[in-house]
């Protein structure tokens, strides 16, 4: 791919698609794995359907990397394998409800973040990223089940709020590691590549938006953030 | 559903679709889970694709149960949850290669068996069963990887041959349990429902065919059966 916006911009776009592709592949795995803990066949089938949707997203990104950006998907994903695997290893849910909170709260922040970055890149990457980040029906399912679990056992709320804080902390740790390693992607975000005018105030506003959305999600589960 | 071939026949058809639907759902789960052990991202993506194909099959069967047979899929699957879960619990692969052998050898026998039973039922159930049993590309992938692993470490062949024998033994144990519990399905197979003429010699030939196909699969992996 040659965007005409420079090699650093091109690399940032490849990084965005690469991290997102591996994130979708691991989302597939994790949701499929969590389906084993589902209390009913219906819940299990619902999770399996969501996992399949994530896999379909992965396939779209892999195709985009190959045909539009002219790079090998495995290579593009490689730098993000360790941070994403580490994140998931550090935040293995202890039970079904923790897995639902992780899917909703953790993926929620990730999706919001990827959407912010997508706004900084050109078509057709932007459209594709927006498309693969569309909610696969997970959110509604999760909110319903978590609220029902807390209603049945209100003492659960404290544990789940702590769990969500651990998820956010671990996500920030790994994001920081990626930012250090992937210079072009980090500089795209702070507005320092491809002729995009640097604007640290805009980055600050982005973090404020991410935080607000997170607080809203926690509230919708009935949890303090 | 009223096939005009009697309530016992109708129940056997529902049982066939029910066991197959739950088998596809657990195949999805198991393959997705095994993808975690995949040694490369490419292998992981290949397994995830197969798992998604299994989920698609599950969805087709669920729809068929609902719209053609007029029964709730969860109810139709319920009698088969324990035997299939027990089978998988008893045969958890210790590593990546064992998981591949299980997918190929275990699913191979199951698919052959379901195809034999499908020959005894009417359209459109027969077509659907044949469709969802189509190879999802798993076989070629497995044969290639298992042969390469044995070539790299020939001492592995003995362990894997024993593993396959354990899989067959456990499958027969669970099949027998299902046969005792699901009278209509068992009688469909031995030719005792729906006006189908009983023919125990035909059942004997069916088992001979299943055994032959199993021996062929083992040989294609380079293993003795």
């Amino acid at each position: 791919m040659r965007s005409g916006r420079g090699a650093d911009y091109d690399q940032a776009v490849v990084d965005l698609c690469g991290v997102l592709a591996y994130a979708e592949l691991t989302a597939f795995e994790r949701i499929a794995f969590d389906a084993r803990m589902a209390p009913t066949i219906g819940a299990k089938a619902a999770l399996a359907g969501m996992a399949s949707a994530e896999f379909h997203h992965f396939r779209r990104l892999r195709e985009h990397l190959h045909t539009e950006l002219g790079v090998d998907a495995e290579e593009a994903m490689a730098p993000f394998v360790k941070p994403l695997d580490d994140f998931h290893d550090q935040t293995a849910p202890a039970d079904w409800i923790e897995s639902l909170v992780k899917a909703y709260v953790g993926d929620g922040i990730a999706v919001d973040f990827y959407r912010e970055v997508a706004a900084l890149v050109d078509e057709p990457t932007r459209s594709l990223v927006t498309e693969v980040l569309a909610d696969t029906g997970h959110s509604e399912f999760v909110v319903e089940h978590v609220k029902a679990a807390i209603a049945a056992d209100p003492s659960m709320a404290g544990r789940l709020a702590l769990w969500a804080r651990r998820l956010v902390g671990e996500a920030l740790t790994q994001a920081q590691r990626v930012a250090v390693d992937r210079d072009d992607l980090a500089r795209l975000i702070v507005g320092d590549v491809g002729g995009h005018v640097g604007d640290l105030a805009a980055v600050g506003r982005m973090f404020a938006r991410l935080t607000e959305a997170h607080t809203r999600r926690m509230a919708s589960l009935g949890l303090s953030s």
Side-chain angles (χ1 to χ4, degrees), chain A:
Chain A
M1 180 200 69
R2 291 290 175 272
S3 66
R5 287 177 65 180
D8 50 357
Y9 173 81
D10 294 351
Q11 184 57 52
V13 171
V14 169
D15 275 0
L16 173 63
C17 293
V19 67
L20 197 46
Y22 194 68
E24 293 283 359
L25 189 58
T26 53
F28 162 85
E29 275 193 310
R30 200 194 57 233
I31 298 173
F33 181 61
D34 291 345
R36 293 164 72 99
M37 297 192 274
T40 65
I41 303 183
K44 183 176 283 199
L47 283 189
M50 292 163 200
S52 287
E54 307 285 6
F55 178 74
H56 178 71
H57 294 160
F58 159 74
R59 202 151 49 183
R60 299 269 291 126
L61 287 157
R62 183 173 58 181
E63 203 179 286
H64 183 74
L65 279 160
H66 182 72
T67 59
E68 298 287 333
L69 307 179
V71 297
D72 178 69
E74 272 194 55
E75 270 172 47
M77 290 189 281
F80 308 103
V81 169
K82 190 164 161 44
L84 280 162
D85 284 357
D86 284 354
F87 171 74
H88 289 303
D89 289 346
Q90 294 294 325
T91 58
D95 59 24
W96 165 244
I97 292 295
E98 282 194 6
S99 81
L100 292 182
V101 170
K102 177 174 172 180
Y104 182 61
V105 169
D107 292 5
I109 292 181
V111 162
D112 285 347
F113 173 71
Y114 293 131
R115 275 213 191 95
E116 294 277 353
V117 182
L120 306 175
V121 302
D122 292 302
E123 294 289 352
T125 299
R126 193 193 307 156
S127 303
L128 176 62
V129 170
T130 309
E131 177 198 323
V132 302
L133 294 177
D135 192 329
T136 54
H138 216 141
S139 299
E140 203 183 330
F141 178 87
V142 169
V143 171
E144 186 189 316
H145 280 75
V146 173
K147 284 175 91 165
I150 295 175
D153 176 9
S155 74
M156 208 181 254
R159 169 166 73 92
L160 292 177
L162 276 178
W163 169 240
R165 274 200 277 284
R166 216 181 103 202
L167 292 171
V168 173
E170 191 61 35
L172 287 175
T173 303
Q174 298 303 333
Q176 202 164 8
R177 195 207 282 187
V178 168
V180 170
D181 283 355
R182 307 305 295 173
D183 200 40
D184 297 319
L185 183 59
R187 285 167 54 232
L188 174 70
I189 295 166
V190 299
D192 194 26
V193 298
H196 184 78
V197 179
D199 181 356
L200 277 176
V203 176
R205 286 195 295 275
M206 178 182 95
F207 275 99
R209 285 193 296 275
L210 293 176
T211 309
E212 274 165 35
H214 170 66
T215 307
R216 258 199 316 277
R217 272 188 297 271
M218 291 292 282
S220 76
L221 294 177
L223 298 175
S224 61
S225 53

